[in-house]
Amino acid sequence: MASTQLDTPVPGLARTSAEAPGAQARGGVNRLTAPAGLLIDHNKPVSFTFEGKAYRALEGDTIASALAANGVWLLSRSFKYHRPRGVLTMAGQDANTLVQLRDEPNVLADRTPVTDGLEVWGQNYTGSLAKDRDRVLDYFGRFMPVGFYYRAFMKPRFDQAYEPLIRKKAGLGKVNLNAPHGYYDKAYLFYDLVVVGGGPAGLQAAVTAAEAGAQVLLVEENPELGGALSYARFDAEGALGLRRRQELIAAAEAQPNLTIMTDALCNGWFADHYLPVIKGNRLYKVRTKQMIVASGSIEQPAQFRGNDLPGVMLGSAAQRLIRLYGVRPGQRAAVLAGNDHAYGVALDLQDAGVEVACIIELRDDPGPGPMAAAARDRGFTITTGHCVQEAVAATGKPHLGSIRVSRITGPGTFDHGSERVDCDLLAMSVGYTPTYQLALQAGGRLSYDDEAAHFEIERLPDGMALAGSVNSAYDLEAVEAEGRRAGWQAAQALGLDAGTEPAVPAERGAQGINHPWPLFKHSRGKDFVDFDEDLQVKDIVNAVAEGYNELELVKRFSTVGMGPSQGRHSALATARLVAKETGRTVAETGVTTARPPFAAETLGVLGGRVFEPERLTAMHHRHLEQGAVMMTAGLWWRPAFYGPKEKREDLIAKEVHAVRHKVGLIDVSTLGGLEIRGPDAAEFMNRLYTFSYKKQPVGRARYLLMTNEQGVVIDDGVACRLSEEHYYVTATTGGVDRVYRQMLLWNAQWRLQVDVASVTAAYAGVNLAGPRSRKVLEHLGSDIDFSAEAFPYMGVRTGHVGGIPARLLRVGFVGELGYEIHVPSGYGEALWDALLEAGKSERIKPFGVEAQRVLRLEKGHIIIGQDTDAMTTPDEVDMAWAVSKKKPFFVGQRSIELRRRHPSARRLVGFTLPKSSIVPLESNILLDGEGEMAGFITSAARSEACDAVIGLAYAPAETQAGDSLTIKLTNGRRLEAKACAPHFFDPDNQRQEL
Amino acid sequence: MNAPLRRSFAEARQVEAGARFEPLNDGQVAVSYANATDEQATARRLGLADLSPLGRIGFKGAGTCDWLASKGLTIPEAPNRAAVQSDGRLALRLADQEIFLTAALSGTGEAPAELEAAWNRARKAQRGFPLPRQDTHAWFLVTGEQADSLFAKLCGVDLRPAHFADLEIAQTSIARMSGVICRQDLGGTLAYHLLADSASAHYLWGCLLDGMQEFHGGPVGLHAVQALAKA
């Protein structure tokens, strides 16, 4: 073979845009003249920067195509060895093109559009992308053999010495923690048929099914429909692809019940054809009855030394640059041919003005195919039975300068003698793998046709079909026919009349599409199988030699296929290598398990628009107007206290003081509300709660305590008997949903004549509490007699307050004369306003949850969930009085009786500390004499009324009033508290019963 | 005029949006936000109206359907279907023996309070139990040709007109909240009633308006809804 050495530096690489007058104006030195480039608009220039340098691009360019147009081929540095990397696929399928944007790392440069003003950087380098100081690692490959991480991190000393360094060097890109929040959301879609892939097969399938009446969604990953018709060459003249593309798109757009979604990625398959489709910042959750996967195939690289150099790319990548973006991929090219598609590539290159130096044909005879014939007609130099044994960088440049071509002597072997061919582009066309991910996620199995050296997919689930090159059809006529038949089958399955079954030609073009062994291991390595992880042929071979002879083990040991491209370009070569090294067939070796997602997806897309329901009481806006600091209670917002945050302690103390000495008003709308109605209402209450309710008089309230079947306290509240067959029940804010579910469950089992209705949201409620509360109500006006005789403690009345229909309860959670007033929630704000107005003369003051906590603690009233835990029995919290001994049954009764036979070792006690003491935190622990944990605090507060710090704590059961309790604070300091009965203020309850 | 006693649960949102209110019952209702022509165009494209100030009541339990039928109501044949009454009220059958009854959009027809009073006068047996739907549930109406596209962003049920019939009901999750959706086209315009937790009305109103932005939808008043119904 004659040498075709260049006598000048590699053109295009040396020439900068500054040296090419007018080049910038037309979008770069390598830009072909209009109308070249299906996706770009020659009349719409945009500007962007890469590595701080400004470039011109055209609307429709990706970052990678724009840089290529400007003669910039170095896009990134490889993960481990920091080797220069550039365009490989131009399909958004490989990690070579990962770049950094201001707010987002790891962006695919060959998929992301250039926008005006976009700032782009390379990533994974030290210094500059061009002169990465870490490129020295390329020379230390021998010290980082396969499985390096597994070995290295097994040694503790290594961890300490080198782990920080490796952690610093590992990873790609930088996360901008100050990146602005994007708007993401999700939407549901429903279709009869989803077709994934808008190439010739997908278009034909979608049109056929839509014509039959199916509602069809066609999902295309790229910005334009057409698939390979948009960039590949299907005939010697080079016009067939684009013509068929236009015809098929026109047919698709004419279908009213066919929805076309471009720039959309079907990123996985889930049971029953539940498909996540990502388009922009939206995740569509698509339900479909039928699914056709026409996802095409992924062209594969050959393996030889230096196969990762910028300038070495897939044949389809060169064609994409030319036909989609109007970019000349090089000045002088060599084509590595393992199939006839390579000749189409060569023809396209020449048509784009690229000098085709030679075609290196792996086969001994390419056969009589029309493309090969056309190449011969054009006089291309075709060197059969040869391989590329090495791609060599141009002197001083991170780009291909020449290749060394050798004669093949057997599968994967070659003569050591070689010829040098100078070129700045090597286009490889040696075979494909089907884009099998979705099909395999759905349960399909991969087999290998040894004769065609090709993967095939079998055993698809019901309702899924394949069409096109994913199904090993490469001849265009066969591809379209397969699409028509798949669409017809889907329509039939949907019960639609789609006419007669379309025929599919026997010849599908799969034979010869894959060269059986395009792997040429080099004695000096750098023959990459996995570009993402910098894995060479010897790494896979050595992994097998280490004993990892199953592909899943090879994957985990070597990390092959675990990078961003997820084995798209390494699975076939790895399977072939493992098969060879283990003496099995490729079919027996298989590929690793395919799992969603198909491609990387952002957390924003997964999160979507975050729906965080919240509940507001009817008085919420009044609280805000009155300066409340709000806090959450479950989904509810409640006022914590009223006034500036910085005066918190003082404000809470004043609110407590107002309740104790005058009158306060708190919004208790968040309390759960339940209506229990029916002839068996009393029986139902009696079975559900621990106390007795059958004899509860109408017009009276009674305390409620609920235990579960284990005898554990789970809720409390008040039962108001409004009539013989009607109880209005309150439950805790956080517990009402559980209580309601329990009620429905037990009601379904007991089959009593009872109706349970949740009315929490139906009633707004306030607690008007304090010695002057009765006066406030009298000022307001009502049809209810509020005298102590007519409306005693624990009485319940219905009537009107300030003209508003209301239910009133005399209860004493805060230990003062008080009235809970419940009104239909639409009237809540009016009630709040009326009470504050009527209470002005009594110096009424709104109070929040924090003051209420102090007030109830002074009374020793427990809060379920704060002063109880998942084991608390009524006895432990001094609630035996609320457990009936006479009832035949209530939920939890048997467990309480059983647990009483083994008395608890703890109980809830009160404690006091001097008023000047620090207030311990809830969950601070108690210590015994040995310094071991003896209990813990559940509530604590500084009390003006008690002139002390008071609290509740679980302490040893034998604790007596006056005993000393040692509290360990969070900072380790210890306090000595005095145990006491948990009723600190007005223990005889005289104030609330006024 | 005295301040209204009743407030709609999303009234603050409507005040922010510049709603014009008119008294209704013992509260007030947002009747408009813009001029009538623009607002009706919004309602036909994608509108959100708060009908919470209008009346509604529920009944459930054994005997509910028979008792309500005895009061002259047309009861839907099956659960998850609704029936328009001769006076414009809408009876939503949520379960075999559960009815959610809304007032007519015109404001005419028997008031819920009158029905509740009749219930109180009736014999105890076989009449079910009233439910305070006026206060448990906010009542929104989503109108316009893009209404199903809006719900596709908030709800996992296929509400497209070809798949979700007029007067069909879905009891489902909307923006992570439980709710009842009932389609009732108004004068040929697609419309869905949305009944959901009143305490979360403020939140839900915000979610709906947020979802409407891409379709150029917005709030509309009762007058625009009534105009749709008359069209």
Side-chain angles (χ1 to χ4, degrees):
Chain A
M1 172 180 157
S3 169
T4 51
Q5 190 169 340
L6 293 173
D7 54 4
T8 58
V10 178
L13 291 176
R15 188 171 64 184
T16 65
S17 54
E19 294 165 329
Q24 277 282 34
R26 64 173 190 270
V29 294
N30 290 327
R31 186 73 71 183
L32 301 169
T33 52
L38 187 68
L39 301 182
I40 55 168
D41 187 337
H42 285 266
N43 297 316
K44 292 185 178 173
V46 293
S47 299
F48 73 107
T49 66
F50 181 64
E51 289 285 299
K53 186 175 176 183
Y55 294 96
R56 296 292 288 274
L58 299 175
E59 193 174 285
D61 260 325
T62 62
I63 296 168
S65 70
L67 290 171
N70 285 281
V72 178
W73 294 97
L74 175 61
L75 296 173
S76 67
R77 289 282 171 175
S78 72
F79 178 62
K80 193 157 70 174
Y81 299 137
H82 287 249
R83 290 172 63 83
R85 293 280 165 81
V87 166
L88 176 66
T89 67
M90 277 308 292
Q93 293 170 343
D94 64 291
N96 278 13
T97 68
L98 292 178
V99 293
Q100 174 88 42
L101 304 185
R102 182 165 289 281
D103 296 326
E104 192 175 357
N106 298 321
V107 167
L108 287 163
D110 53 350
R111 180 164 296 284
T112 306
V114 162
T115 52
D116 209 31
L118 187 71
E119 296 174 292
V120 188
W121 292 267
Q123 55 186 30
N124 196 37
Y125 59 75
T126 303
S128 70
L129 179 62
K131 295 180 179 176
D132 176 14
R133 289 199 291 277
D134 289 337
R135 68 185 187 278
V136 68
L137 291 169
D138 197 16
Y139 301 103
F140 292 96
R142 73 174 65 177
F143 301 111
M144 291 183 276
V146 63
F148 159 71
Y149 300 105
Y150 285 96
R151 295 175 217 275
F153 290 112
M154 294 293 283
K155 299 171 187 171
R157 282 187 58 206
F158 183 94
D159 279 10
Q160 294 160 14
Y162 299 110
E163 188 193 341
L165 178 66
I166 288 178
R167 286 214 178 277
K168 188 178 174 187
K169 293 293 178 193
L172 298 172
K174 291 185 176 62
V175 175
N176 180 0
L177 298 177
N178 298 316
H181 283 275
Y183 185 95
Y184 295 84
D185 71 358
K186 298 180 185 178
Y188 295 88
L189 293 176
F190 303 86
Y191 284 93
D192 295 331
L193 168 66
V194 170
V195 179
V196 177
L203 281 164
Q204 284 284 15
V207 169
T208 304
E211 280 176 343
Q215 292 288 330
V216 183
L217 173 67
L218 176 60
V219 180
E220 168 54 46
E221 183 180 8
N222 293 297
E224 293 285 344
L225 292 173
L229 295 175
S230 305
Y231 62 84
R233 192 170 185 117
F234 290 90
D235 62 343
E237 293 74 33
L240 177 61
L242 286 178
R243 190 178 74 241
R244 285 303 296 147
R245 176 181 178 274
Q246 287 170 352
E247 291 166 354
L248 287 173
I249 290 174
E253 289 176 344
Q255 295 299 323
N257 47 341
L258 168 57
T259 303
I260 297 168
M261 198 184 280
T262 55
D263 264 331
L265 177 67
C266 181
N267 214 22
W269 179 95
F270 294 91
D272 301 329
H273 305 313
Y274 192 30
L275 308 173
V277 176
I278 300 168
K279 181 174 172 63
N281 283 359
R282 177 171 291 171
L283 172 64
Y284 289 96
K285 296 188 269 192
V286 185
R287 291 269 183 206
T288 183
K289 297 169 187 165
Q290 296 284 314
M291 180 179 185
I292 295 172
V293 179
S295 50
S297 50
I298 298 171
E299 189 160 33
Q300 298 295 302
Q303 280 68 44
F304 52 86
R305 178 174 167 79
N307 61 344
D308 62 331
L309 261 179
V312 180
M313 66 181 74
L314 302 177
S316 54
Q319 289 178 307
R320 282 181 155 103
L321 280 170
I322 295 167
R323 290 181 179 246
L324 299 182
Y325 304 105
V327 172
R328 189 171 47 230
Q331 300 292 322
R332 190 164 197 267
V335 177
L336 179 61
N339 57 30
D340 282 4
H341 289 188
Y343 296 92
V345 174
L347 296 171
D348 278 348
L349 287 170
Q350 190 178 59
D351 289 349
V354 180
E355 180 190 354
V356 179
C358 63
I359 298 172
I360 300 120
E361 173 59 78
L362 297 173
R363 298 170 292 184
D364 291 331
D365 178 7
M371 301 281 214
R376 283 191 207 96
D377 290 346
R378 291 205 191 180
F380 289 146
T381 301
I382 303 172
T383 309
T384 58
H386 279 66
C387 67
V388 175
Q389 69 149 289
E390 182 177 6
V392 182
T395 305
K397 295 186 183 302
H399 195 93
L400 179 68
S402 63
I403 57 174
R404 290 177 59 211
V405 178
S406 298
R407 189 175 60 82
I408 297 172
T409 56
T413 61
F414 49 85
D415 261 347
H416 289 293
S418 65
E419 301 258 2
R420 172 181 156 183
V421 179
D422 286 347
C423 54
D424 65 335
L425 170 65
L426 174 62
M428 305 175 280
S429 292
V430 298
Y432 299 84
T433 58
T435 309
Y436 49 66
Q437 287 79 357
L438 290 177
L440 298 201
Q441 287 169 23
R445 291 295 183 88
L446 209 60
S447 65
Y448 190 76
D449 179 341
D450 285 307
E451 189 182 348
H454 197 280
F455 281 129
E456 292 189 347
I457 302 167
E458 305 170 332
R459 289 195 256 170
L460 293 168
D462 288 345
M464 175 182 274
L466 304 177
S469 61
V470 69
N471 198 34
S472 306
Y474 287 90
D475 178 81
L476 182 56
E477 190 181 334
V479 166
E480 292 195 39
E482 271 208 352
R484 283 192 294 274
R485 187 173 64 180
W488 178 87
Q489 287 171 332
Q492 292 285 110
L494 291 164
L496 301 168
D497 181 9
T500 54
E501 181 174 355
V504 175
E507 175 51 49
R508 304 165 74 216
Q511 286 297 328
I513 204 74
N514 272 11
H515 188 274
W517 199 264
L519 292 94
F520 298 93
K521 183 173 181 290
H522 198 281
S523 59
R524 291 161 58 207
K526 301 296 188 280
D527 38 17
F528 289 95
V529 173
D530 188 320
F531 290 48
D532 301 8
E533 301 282 323
D534 274 346
L535 291 168
Q536 307 159 64
V537 173
K538 70 179 180 186
D539 293 325
I540 305 302
V541 172
N542 289 342
V544 176
E546 292 262 7
Y548 300 98
N549 56 3
E550 295 299 329
L551 200 63
E552 292 284 2
L553 297 177
V554 171
K555 171 182 172 180
R556 280 151 184 80
F557 184 65
S558 68
T559 70
V560 66
M562 293 171 75
S565 57
Q566 290 287 288
R568 286 175 178 77
H569 307 101
S570 59
L572 177 59
T574 304
R576 284 169 167 169
L577 285 167
V578 173
K580 181 187 174 199
E581 295 302 313
T582 57
R584 292 176 294 179
T585 65
V586 174
E588 289 167 338
T589 306
V591 295
T592 55
T593 307
R595 299 183 181 89
F598 172 62
E601 54 199 6
T602 64
L603 292 175
V605 163
L606 292 180
R609 185 201 188 287
V610 179
F611 291 114
E612 293 180 286
E614 57 182 14
R615 306 184 84 186
L616 308 185
T617 72
M619 296 78 108
H620 181 85
H621 300 288
R622 289 291 187 258
H623 301 321
L624 298 182
E625 288 162 13
Q626 287 155 8
V629 172
M630 304 300 286
M631 59 184 281
T632 54
L635 295 181
W636 291 98
W637 284 99
R638 300 194 68 185
F641 56 91
Y642 292 83
K645 276 183 186 173
E646 57 274 16
K647 295 183 179 175
R648 181 178 186 279
E649 300 302 325
D650 185 43
L651 291 167
I652 294 168
K654 285 179 176 165
E655 289 174 12
V656 170
H657 184 87
V659 176
R660 287 275 178 252
H661 298 279
K662 298 185 181 75
V663 59
L665 183 67
I666 183 170
D667 179 358
V668 296
S669 305
T670 63
L671 282 177
L674 300 155
E675 305 271 24
I676 313 296
R677 293 177 289 189
D680 292 332
E683 175 65 22
F684 184 74
M685 294 291 292
N686 232 34
R687 293 187 191 186
L688 206 59
Y689 289 97
T690 60
F691 223 176
S692 296
Y693 300 94
K694 278 194 169 178
K695 293 181 181 174
Q696 179 182 347
V698 172
R700 295 287 292 173
R702 186 163 284 184
Y703 180 71
L704 289 170
L705 189 69
M706 179 179 272
T707 53
N708 62 14
E709 287 175 289
Q710 289 72 44
V712 171
V713 173
I714 58 171
D715 206 66
D716 70 352
V718 172
C720 306
R721 194 162 196 177
L722 300 180
S723 73
E724 284 296 324
E725 297 185 0
H726 185 183
Y727 287 84
Y728 175 54
V729 169
T730 67
T732 60
T733 299
V736 63
D737 289 345
R738 179 184 187 178
V739 170
Y740 181 53
R741 283 197 301 271
Q742 288 286 313
M743 286 181 170
L744 294 181
L745 175 69
W746 287 116
N747 195 26
Q749 294 188 35
W750 294 335
R751 296 175 178 273
L752 297 173
Q753 289 189 59
V754 170
D755 182 76
V756 180
S758 173
V759 293
T760 300
Y763 289 95
V766 296
N767 186 11
L768 180 71
R772 299 184 186 177
S773 55
R774 184 176 288 133
K775 285 185 181 172
V776 175
L777 286 173
E778 287 168 353
H779 293 325
L780 187 58
S782 173
D783 50 7
I784 298 169
D785 180 353
F786 292 108
S787 66
E789 299 75 28
F791 191 174
Y793 181 64
M794 295 305 276
V796 176
R797 297 291 180 269
T798 57
H800 292 78
V801 175
I804 299 169
R807 294 171 174 177
L808 287 90
L809 298 61
R810 266 204 66 185
V811 291
F813 189 52
V814 298
E816 298 292 341
L817 171 66
Y819 301 85
E820 265 190 29
I821 308 168
H822 296 216
V823 301
S825 52
Y827 295 111
E829 190 177 284
L831 175 73
W832 183 264
D833 291 346
L835 286 167
L836 287 181
E837 182 63 30
K840 271 183 180 172
S841 59
E842 307 302 331
R843 311 286 294 276
I844 192 170
K845 190 174 181 62
F847 67 102
V849 175
E850 295 293 356
Q852 182 180 245
R853 283 177 175 170
V854 176
L855 289 159
R856 69 88 200 176
L857 182 58
E858 289 173 344
K859 289 294 297 174
H861 292 156
I862 64 167
I863 296 177
I864 305 295
Q866 177 172 327
D867 299 307
T868 65
D869 60 21
M871 295 294 290
T872 302
T873 63
D875 294 345
E876 289 179 340
V877 290
D878 200 18
M879 287 278 186
W881 59 269
V883 179
S884 170
K885 295 184 178 68
K886 296 177 183 171
K887 290 199 294 190
F889 171 81
F890 62 88
V891 176
Q893 183 187 43
R894 187 165 176 272
S895 295
I896 290 172
E897 288 170 355
L898 284 172
R899 291 176 71 172
R900 278 177 174 163
R901 294 179 199 169
H902 304 280
S904 173
R906 67 173 193 173
R907 67 187 182 96
L908 195 69
V909 302
F911 68 85
T912 60
L913 288 161
K915 189 179 181 184
S916 59
S917 168
I918 189 168
V919 180
L921 298 177
E922 293 154 15
S923 80
N924 278 164
I925 61 172
L926 304 184
L927 300 177
D928 62 14
E930 310 294 319
E932 297 294 319
M933 180 175 169
F936 60 94
I937 291 172
T938 61
S939 297
R942 199 182 311 280
S943 166
E944 178 198 320
C946 301
D947 198 30
V949 170
I950 60 172
L952 299 174
Y954 280 100
E958 62 273 17
T959 304
Q960 298 294 319
D963 285 356
S964 181
L965 298 174
T966 304
I967 299 168
K968 184 181 178 185
L969 299 177
T970 308
N971 62 7
R973 205 181 132 203
R974 297 176 189 200
L975 299 175
E976 292 298 321
K978 287 289 176 202
C980 62
H983 309 291
F984 305 94
F985 179 75
D986 185 26
D988 298 329
N989 296 327
Q990 291 179 349
R991 297 172 70 90
Q992 65 197 29
E993 295 181 16
L994 286 172
Chain B
M1 179 186 122
N2 291 331
L5 283 176
R6 267 195 175 273
R7 295 275 184 208
S8 157
F9 312 102
E11 193 175 294
R13 295 273 196 186
Q14 294 146 29
V15 171
E16 285 171 16
R20 189 171 69 78
F21 291 90
E22 284 184 3
L24 182 75
N25 302 328
D26 51 358
Q28 59 181 3
V29 63
V31 292
S32 64
Y33 293 81
N35 71 63
T37 306
D38 290 349
E39 197 156 319
Q40 284 172 31
T42 302
R44 282 190 292 274
R45 185 170 60 249
L46 183 59
L48 172 62
D50 180 15
L51 305 182
S52 300
L54 277 70
R56 56 203 171 279
I57 191 170
F59 290 90
K60 74 163 179 169
T64 290
C65 291
D66 286 345
W67 184 78
L68 288 173
S70 74
K71 296 286 128 190
L73 264 72
T74 303
I75 303 300
E77 287 179 2
N80 288 324
R81 295 285 302 170
V84 182
Q85 309 301 309
S86 56
D87 58 5
R89 289 179 297 167
L90 189 66
L92 294 82
R93 190 168 182 176
L94 303 185
D96 184 55
Q97 292 295 322
E98 183 173 358
I99 299 291
F100 192 127
L101 185 66
T102 70
L105 298 179
S106 62
T108 58
E110 189 180 9
E114 292 164 15
L115 199 57
E116 190 166 9
W119 181 87
N120 283 323
R121 290 192 300 270
R123 286 192 309 113
K124 280 185 180 177
Q126 301 298 305
R127 60 176 186 173
F129 297 95
L131 295 166
R133 297 303 194 193
Q134 184 81 35
D135 292 286
T136 56
H137 284 66
W139 177 12
F140 296 155
L141 184 74
V142 178
T143 65
E145 59 190 12
Q146 299 283 359
D148 60 314
S149 301
L150 167 69
F151 279 113
K153 295 164 66 176
L154 304 171
C155 170
V157 177
D158 187 358
L159 297 176
R160 289 177 297 163
H163 296 79
F164 190 74
D166 197 26
L167 300 179
E168 193 170 344
I169 291 169
Q171 299 180 63
T172 182
S173 174
I174 306 121
R176 284 187 62 208
M177 282 179 51
S178 295
V180 177
I181 296 171
C182 176
R183 178 180 165 196
Q184 186 194 9
D185 292 355
L186 300 177
T189 299
L190 186 63
Y192 300 89
H193 296 279
L194 173 53
L195 304 157
D197 173 32
S198 60
S200 302
H202 190 85
Y203 157 80
L204 189 57
W205 181 269
C207 289
L208 290 164
L209 280 189
D210 176 73
M212 287 178 159
Q213 283 186 13
E214 71 172 292
F215 307 110
H216 308 292
V220 295
L222 181 62
H223 287 169
V225 171
Q226 289 171 336
L228 280 187
K230 285 178 188 166

